[in-house]
Amino acid sequence: MTRIDDVARLAGVSTATVSRALRGLPTVSAATRHRVLAAAEQLQYTVSPNASRLAGGRTGTVAVVVPRITRWFFGVVVETVEDFLHRGGYDLLLHNLGGRERTRQRVLRTADLHKRVDGIILAATPLRAPELAFLSALDLPGVIVSSGTNVPGWPCVRIDDVAAARTATRHLLDLGHRRVAHISGDPDDELAFTAHLDRRRGYREALRSAGIRPDPSLDIESRFDVDGGIRATEELLRRGDPPTAIFAACDEMAMGALTALRDAGLRVPDDVSVIGIDNHYLAGVLGLTTVAQSPTDQGLIAAKTLLGALTDRPADPLRAADGPVVLPTRLVVRETTAPPRTPESAAR
């Protein structure tokens, strides 16, 4: 039986080079790749993925850690990363934490991870001190997608959540709204997201810039999903003197707000305007005004950067020393926002 060593000997290269050439990685010159492929064909060598990876001292696998795969953002990031890495010859090992402490401990605090993967992409997962220490000590390249944590030496790609929230709130203020409510994530949520903290900050900054003092009664915490948006909006309406506009910290919460307002007999945007952040794939269907971000772009930059580190060909523009790469967001105005009704327009 022909072995990878035989191909390496005939081609005059190392077994690691044979492995990289047969996997199509970009670190092998065209001439060397041609020589390896010719040797493999002459010897009728059939590639064994496991043998090829081991010869190069690699597993050929990258770990992607997400808080919850069912959320739109994380699903798009994972799909993008997997597609790009697969074309680069790598498999993806998905770790979906899902609020399960045992899973979190196994993934973020055990040496088993080091043995199974060549690199890690960590998406919007805040780290506890022991987890940060563990990942910092790993001799593995890593990339962070979205805010929430910093691992020394790991580059990060994200959006500016504060600026995105300011854009959303300013849109409502520019329309003439003054009672602008905010529904956002619960800091005690099991997934421990942090993006909503920055988005609350942006909301409050925009109000203060307009000379409006933030009203705690208009700022409701709930789960960062559709059900959370429903519950937060219902609470707003129970408190009386409802707002004329709602800024939801994510589109899924905004969708919950639309549901709760409809169930209460209120019309959007005639009675209450609603805006979110994300540009979720259902936002256009629902006519939801939002501040758009691109999880596809974030996932692609993360995957390119990690593959560059794994193949010793660093990819621009993402380098840890330069700080996070902050991607732009944009306001997308649809049908759920409009100026507040005046007494005259209400009478009509």
Side-chain angles (χ1 to χ4, degrees), residues 24-67:
L25 295 181
T27 51
V28 181
S29 69
T32 300
R33 190 186 313 279
H34 176 75
R35 197 161 71 248
V36 170
L37 292 176
E41 183 178 3
Q42 180 180 333
L43 296 173
Q44 297 184 328
Y45 174 68
T46 302
V47 179
S48 166
N50 289 335
S52 177
R53 290 166 179 171
L54 289 173
R58 299 283 176 89
T59 67
T61 303
V62 167
V64 177
V65 182
V66 299

Side-chain angles (χ1 to χ4, degrees), residues 10 30 52 66 98 105 120 130 136 152 175 188 223 243 261 293:
L10 180 59
S52 177
V66 299
Q105 292 265 353
I120 304 169
S136 298
L175 288 172
D188 295 326
R223 285 177 61 90
L261 292 169
Q293 65 168 321

Side-chain angles (χ1 to χ4, degrees), residues 7-23:
V7 178
R9 193 160 32 252
L10 180 59
V13 297
S14 67
T15 55
T17 298
V18 172
S19 173
R20 289 194 293 269
L22 295 179
R23 286 162 57 199

Side-chain angles (χ1 to χ4, degrees), residues 80-237:
T80 303
V81 168
E82 181 176 32
D83 178 67
F84 184 84
L85 291 179
H86 180 74
R87 287 186 276 119
Y90 279 83
D91 296 325
L92 184 145
L93 178 62
L94 174 64
H95 290 290
N96 176 38
L97 301 183
R100 296 181 295 271
E101 186 61 29
R102 181 176 298 179
T103 301
R104 187 181 183 105
Q105 292 265 353
R106 177 174 55 81
V107 173
L108 297 177
R109 293 181 62 178
T110 66
D112 184 54
L113 184 65
H114 184 216
K115 300 173 184 176
R116 301 175 67 189
V117 301
D118 298 330
I120 304 169
I121 292 178
L122 189 68
T125 304
L127 298 174
R128 302 161 186 166
E131 297 165 349
L132 177 58
F134 166 69
L135 291 178
S136 298
L138 284 180
D139 186 23
L140 291 176
V143 180
I144 295 167
V145 177
S146 189
S147 58
T149 193
N150 289 298
V151 179
W154 287 23
C156 174
V157 56
R158 55 171 296 180
I159 66 168
D160 185 334
D161 289 293
V162 176
R166 280 199 300 260
T167 296
T169 308
R170 277 200 204 111
H171 172 65
L172 299 173
L173 295 170
D174 290 345
L175 288 172
H177 294 278
R178 289 300 176 265
R179 282 189 60 77
V180 178
H182 177 51
I183 58 176
S184 186
D186 183 349
D188 295 326
D189 184 275
E190 62 184 6
L191 300 180
F193 290 128
T194 59
H196 64 275
L197 300 177
D198 286 337
R199 294 176 188 181
R200 174 175 285 113
R201 189 172 123 210
Y203 157 76
R204 291 173 176 172
E205 286 181 2
L207 291 181
R208 292 190 182 101
S209 294
I212 300 172
R213 183 176 180 179
D215 183 348
S217 70
L218 295 178
D219 195 343
I220 308 293
E221 295 174 348
S222 190
R223 285 177 61 90
F224 214 59
D225 56 20
V226 174
D227 287 341
I230 292 173
R231 290 196 294 270
T233 305
E234 289 174 344
E235 175 61 25
L236 277 173
L237 297 179

Side-chain angles (χ1 to χ4, degrees), residues 193-319:
F193 290 128
T194 59
H196 64 275
L197 300 177
D198 286 337
R199 294 176 188 181
R200 174 175 285 113
R201 189 172 123 210
Y203 157 76
R204 291 173 176 172
E205 286 181 2
L207 291 181
R208 292 190 182 101
S209 294
I212 300 172
R213 183 176 180 179
D215 183 348
S217 70
L218 295 178
D219 195 343
I220 308 293
E221 295 174 348
S222 190
R223 285 177 61 90
F224 214 59
D225 56 20
V226 174
D227 287 341
I230 292 173
R231 290 196 294 270
T233 305
E234 289 174 344
E235 175 61 25
L236 277 173
L237 297 179
R238 276 194 295 270
R239 293 182 177 185
D241 194 13
T244 63
I246 297 174
F247 160 46
C250 69
D251 280 357
E252 291 186 28
M253 293 196 82
M255 293 172 194
L258 295 177
T259 300
L261 292 169
R262 179 199 63 202
D263 292 347
L266 296 172
R267 295 171 298 170
V268 176
D270 296 351
D271 299 313
V272 182
S273 286
V274 177
I275 189 171
I277 290 179
D278 278 336
N279 206 27
H280 187 285
Y281 74 96
L282 289 177
V285 176
L286 298 173
L288 176 65
T289 297
T290 187
V291 177
Q293 65 168 321
S294 175
T296 299
D297 289 346
Q298 293 179 58
L300 186 58
I301 289 175
K304 285 182 176 179
T305 301
L306 188 60
L307 186 60
L310 292 173
T311 56
D312 299 320
R313 292 181 62 178
D316 59 333
L318 201 52
R319 296 192 303 273

